[in-house]
Every structure is written in C-alpha cells, then in structure tokens.
Amino acid sequence: VHPGKFFALPQSPQLYKQVLMIAGCDRYFQIARCLRDEDLRADRQPEHTQIDLEMSFVTEDEVFVAVESLMVAIWRECLGVELKTPFPRLTFREAMLRFGSDKPDVRFGLEFVDTTAIHARSPRNVIADQAKAADGVGVALVIPGGASTSGTQLRKYEDVVKEAGGGGLSFFKVQSEDREKQQVIFPGELLDEFFAKVKAQPGDAVLFTSGPWEATLRALGVLRSQLGQTLLKGKEKQWAFLWVKDFPLFEWDANRKGWAPRHHMFSMPRPEHLEWLERDPGKVLGQLYDLVVDGVELGSGSIRIHRTDVQERVMKVIGLTRDEAYKKFGFLLEAYQYASPPHGGIGIGLDRAVMLLAGRENIRDVMAFPKTASAASLMDGAPSEIDLAALRELRIKLE
C-alpha cells in the first residue's frame, strides 16, 4: 500500500496517550501490548503487556497515590496481603549511594557508607586520586561477622566488582592483629575515623573501593545483591515496594560522543534545572520515577513535557536539529501549541507483576509462548528467512 515506507512496532503508547491529554481526554487507562528490541534477561521479553495510564493536571505525588492504590488492590485480591502506604521514596542519588542500584532490594541491610572524604586523605594515590576526582566517590560496605571469612574468599569479591565494571576492591578485617598493615592505607587516627564512619565492630569485614561515581557504586551494588541472597531467607514475601525518583534526564553516550535521554526525551526537567539544559545537561534532573519491589523495576513513568519550547530544547541537547525534530515528531510538537495541559503517567509491567505474584523468578514462566534468551520463538521457528517473492511484493531488497 505504501511502497518504500514502513511502520514501526510500538515500544509503548507514550506519544499517543500524550496527544490524548492534549485533546482533552484527561484520564487514560489501557492494557497495552508493547514490543522492545533490547537485551533479554530473566524479567524481560521482546513482547510484553503493560498497564498503562496517563492523567492531566497531576503531580508526581498524585501519580504515586493512584498507582499505590492499584498495587494495594492487586496484592490484597491475589495474595490476601495488605501493603503499607505510602511507599518509601528515594531519589536516584540516594538509592545509588545507599544500595548501588536504581532498583534496590531493601529487604536486607548491607547499606553502603560514603567514605569519599576519608579516601581522599589516604597516602595511597590509587585510592586517594580516584576519590578526589571531579566525579569520584569512595564507598564502603560492612559485612557483619565477615572477619571469619577467608582472605581468599574476600579477594574473590574483587573479581565480582571488576566484572561489573568497577576498578577494584580492598578489604579490612576488623581485628587487632591486622591493624598495622591497614595503616598503610589509612594511617593512625584516619583508620579509627574510617571504622567509626562505617560503624564496624570487632569481627566484621569492611569492603571498600573508589572510582567514578556511578560505575563504582553500580559495581559494588552487584556484589551487594549477591551477598544479600543468603539474607533473604524468610523474607521472600515482605514485598518491599518503593519509588525511585529524580533521575538524571540525560546520560553521556560515549559511542556517539553526545548526550542521550536516560529514559526518554519526553520527560519534563525539574523546573529549577531548565536553565542548565544547554549549559550543563549532565546536571539536569527529570521528573522521572520508577516503581520498584524487591529489586525488580515494576514500572516507569514521568511528568511529561507539555511545552513546545522545552521539547525543542531537549531534542537539541540529544543532537536532533529542528528540521529532524519536526520531521519525526512534528505532530506532537505542533499539538503542544494547543493549550497542552501538564500531564504525567506510568507504564507498569503486567507480566512482571504476575511473575512476582506467582513466586516465579523468570518471566517466561508466566507468559504463553515466550521467546528464548535469543528472542527466538521455538513453537513456530520465528524469526525465519523470507522468500524472494514476498520481498519483491514488499519492495524490500536485502544485501
């Protein structure tokens, strides 16, 4: 019908529901089928079902209340469990500094302690220089009773951190016989200050590292998640819901050497950060939020951009020229001009929710005809090669 032109499979109803808000439909709810071309993990599939909602004239808090009410109703009806509201709320920065993850499992402890100022005073340059860097951090994790763990096992933890993208890992056993060699890193009173800061007790082990802020925290967060598995026995059904909010709006894409949207380009910056859009995009926080339960991201949403000028500025930051922006998204940019109301919403993974409710660890267990880890459909053999006649009919040429 349209030779040389193509439809794209929808990743979400994002832009359509925004246009509905602009058109005056101020409340929207849909069970939507969505498709993603991304790496597959235990909680991902290329096709998924989404509980999708959008509302006009709302704040983050009002979205949170609506979603929390839905979660309370689902968990009560399906499991007979009463969830406590409001759910705790963490900023992205707080979640990373405390847990090394933007979707933390908070059912067990092992919280991080920011020891950047102490690391920066170490005579060991490999520790101090990383902490002193503009985007550097020093961070420690206490393992209660960890002094009884063998040095060989503690050194294996460094492999986990390095594989996760960290620069390395050091450890102290809190015991008097090790004090002298520990002072090579933190001399005299600095060692006492370090142990006091992390609240380590005799018999504990302290793991610590320094390096670039996000990469270092995420790497230690991977280790924290592994160590926490043994602490979860008996806590499998605690249902630790929380919100993570105030994500950076942009992240640096080293491959294309430019800024890219961290979630998507239609999220409203925090009002006080609008002045930084062109001057310092890395500092801009968005009105973005994720719903997390037991270390699983259950949903993601934001307060949306509703002004043409702000949307054009955001698109310019990520490298879209004005002509490119209007060619791809002109329908939305022009719609903003017709008294677009402030609006926001969220998409919640229905399959993930069912996976959690059913006590399963892999999303494929709760989906009919799931794809494999390589995105293949075993039942019908898709994807498969297409014959030349079909290609000619579609006017597609393969190289």
Side-chain angles (χ1 to χ4, degrees), residues 37-51:
D37 181 16
E38 57 190 8
D39 62 303
L40 300 183
R41 300 196 294 260
D43 62 350
R44 280 184 179 174
Q45 280 280 295
E47 298 177 72
H48 68 277
T49 305
Q50 186 165 294
I51 302 172

Side-chain angles (χ1 to χ4, degrees), residues 304-336:
R304 322 299 186 186
I305 293 173
H306 64 279
R307 289 168 41 187
T308 303
D309 61 328
V310 175
Q311 188 68 79
E312 287 179 350
R313 291 171 66 191
V314 168
M315 289 178 169
K316 186 177 180 180
V317 169
I318 65 172
L320 286 177
T321 66
R322 193 175 190 277
D323 287 344
E324 289 172 334
Y326 274 84
K327 183 177 180 180
K328 294 180 178 180
F329 303 104
F331 69 95
L332 180 65
L333 290 163
E334 291 168 4
Y336 284 149

Side-chain angles (χ1 to χ4, degrees), residues 262-334:
R262 191 166 194 117
H263 282 56
H264 58 71
M265 69 177 89
F266 309 105
S267 298
M268 192 71 174
R270 298 203 66 81
E272 64 271 24
H273 292 178
L274 284 170
E275 62 181 283
W276 295 337
L277 269 176
E278 293 81 10
R279 189 168 73 243
D280 194 353
K283 290 176 63 176
V284 178
L285 300 181
Q287 296 182 59
L288 293 152
Y289 39 82
D290 284 355
L291 177 64
V292 177
V293 56
D294 299 349
V296 176
E297 177 197 316
L298 197 55
S300 187
S302 68
I303 300 300
R304 322 299 186 186
I305 293 173
H306 64 279
R307 289 168 41 187
T308 303
D309 61 328
V310 175
Q311 188 68 79
E312 287 179 350
R313 291 171 66 191
V314 168
M315 289 178 169
K316 186 177 180 180
V317 169
I318 65 172
L320 286 177
T321 66
R322 193 175 190 277
D323 287 344
E324 289 172 334
Y326 274 84
K327 183 177 180 180
K328 294 180 178 180
F329 303 104
F331 69 95
L332 180 65
L333 290 163
E334 291 168 4

Side-chain angles (χ1 to χ4, degrees), residues 96 99-101 112 156-169 209 212-226:
M96 291 297 298
F99 306 105
S101 173
F112 299 170
K156 287 181 180 179
Y157 294 156
E158 182 177 23
D159 296 334
V160 175
V161 169
K162 285 184 174 180
E163 288 176 11
L169 186 72
T209 184
W213 192 86
E214 186 166 350
T216 300
L217 292 170
R218 283 197 184 279
L220 192 59
V222 171
L223 177 59
R224 175 187 178 268
S225 294
Q226 290 188 15

Side-chain angles (χ1 to χ4, degrees), residues 207-260:
L207 311 177
F208 59 97
T209 184
S210 55
W213 192 86
E214 186 166 350
T216 300
L217 292 170
R218 283 197 184 279
L220 192 59
V222 171
L223 177 59
R224 175 187 178 268
S225 294
Q226 290 188 15
L227 295 174
Q229 294 309 303
T230 59
L231 303 175
L232 286 175
K233 292 179 181 178
K235 300 180 180 180
E236 292 85 357
K237 300 301 181 183
Q238 281 194 359
W239 304 117
F241 279 85
L242 59 90
W243 293 98
V244 179
K245 52 180 282 188
D246 292 348
F247 285 82
L249 193 60
F250 305 104
E251 60 185 358
W252 184 254
D253 186 333
N255 293 324
R256 52 184 288 268
K257 294 181 171 58
W259 293 103

